[in-house]
Amino acid sequence: MRHAVRSAVQLMLLIALALLVLVPLLWLVSTSLMGPAEDIFSSPPALLPAQPSLEAYRRLFQDNPLSTYLINSTVVSVLAVGANLLFCSLAAYPLARMRFAGRGLVLGLVVATILIPFQVVMIPLYLLMVQLGLRNTLLALIIPQAATAFGLYLLRQSFLGVPKELEDCLLYTSPSPRDVEENRMPSSA
């Protein structure tokens, strides 16, 4: 009985919290569907539009180059993530698997750069992009994100999670390029 009451109270609290989060979002969508003649600042606020209209969305796409914004954001995101994966994995693998003098120092410096706020490097990055002739280009947004300390550290930790024995197994059982050319494959027995 006590467990049932406790579960009911938890459920009520979760429903109240969900409503607290969802009601402003529903009001946002409802307000966006109101026609031009309706007052969005009426008191009490109308939760449902009297005459739903998509006029606001039509004007949004007509008056603004929103499709250009979406394409630019997609291009920048895809290229920045791809470059970050490429460059950070090239730096993270040696930090995870190879033993060399100063490895701990390099990793410590990389982790320390995570602590530098973006506001500190924002103006020097802008000046660098201007000097490179990349002002007002998408490359000016992609290049600073091509290799990040957080990406490098995250990939290093991921590489450490892969057992070394698995890499050794792949190294010894994988065919060499010459084996592939001559159609010879190593036996799995």
Side-chain angles (χ1 to χ4, degrees):
M1 179 69 178
R2 188 174 202 176
H3 180 68
V5 171
R6 184 176 179 180
S7 294
V9 169
Q10 285 179 342
L11 182 62
M12 293 298 196
L13 285 173
L14 288 174
I15 289 173
L17 186 62
L19 287 175
L20 188 69
V21 170
L22 290 177
V23 166
L25 294 175
L26 293 173
W27 189 25
L28 178 105
V29 171
S30 172
T31 304
S32 74
L33 294 174
M34 288 184 180
E38 294 185 64
D39 183 18
I40 62 172
F41 298 111
S42 63
S43 181
L47 292 180
L48 295 174
Q51 297 174 336
S53 168
L54 295 175
E55 176 66 22
Y57 290 102
R58 187 190 64 73
R59 283 192 14 231
L60 174 70
F61 282 96
Q62 185 180 26
D63 296 348
N64 300 301
L66 201 61
S67 59
T68 303
Y69 300 157
L70 292 173
I71 290 170
N72 287 348
S73 296
T74 303
V75 166
V76 168
S77 299
V78 167
L79 292 178
V81 167
N84 200 299
L85 279 173
L86 174 70
F87 296 127
C88 288
S89 63
L90 290 174
Y93 186 80
L95 285 172
R97 293 289 186 221
M98 298 179 176
R99 306 281 178 234
F100 57 89
R103 184 178 73 145
L105 177 66
V106 170
L107 184 62
L109 290 173
V110 167
V111 171
T113 62
I114 294 173
L115 300 175
I116 300 172
F118 179 71
Q119 291 81 355
V120 172
V121 296
M122 182 171 52
I123 293 175
L125 271 175
Y126 172 75
L127 294 174
L128 178 64
M129 293 303 128
V130 168
Q131 288 175 351
L132 293 173
L134 297 175
R135 186 175 51 194
N136 292 330
T137 66
L138 296 181
L139 274 177
L141 297 174
I142 297 167
I143 290 173
Q145 297 300 318
T148 61
F150 180 74
L152 193 150
Y153 183 73
L154 188 66
L155 280 170
R156 177 195 175 267
Q157 294 303 106
S158 296
F159 289 144
L160 287 176
V162 176
K164 182 77 169 111
E165 293 79 17
L166 183 61
E167 287 183 27
D168 294 340
C169 179
L170 291 172
L171 181 67
Y172 295 125
T173 60
S174 299
S176 68
R178 186 174 185 179
D179 289 337
V180 173
E181 285 176 12
E182 296 174 5
N183 208 11
R184 291 181 301 161
M185 301 301 277
S187 64
S188 60

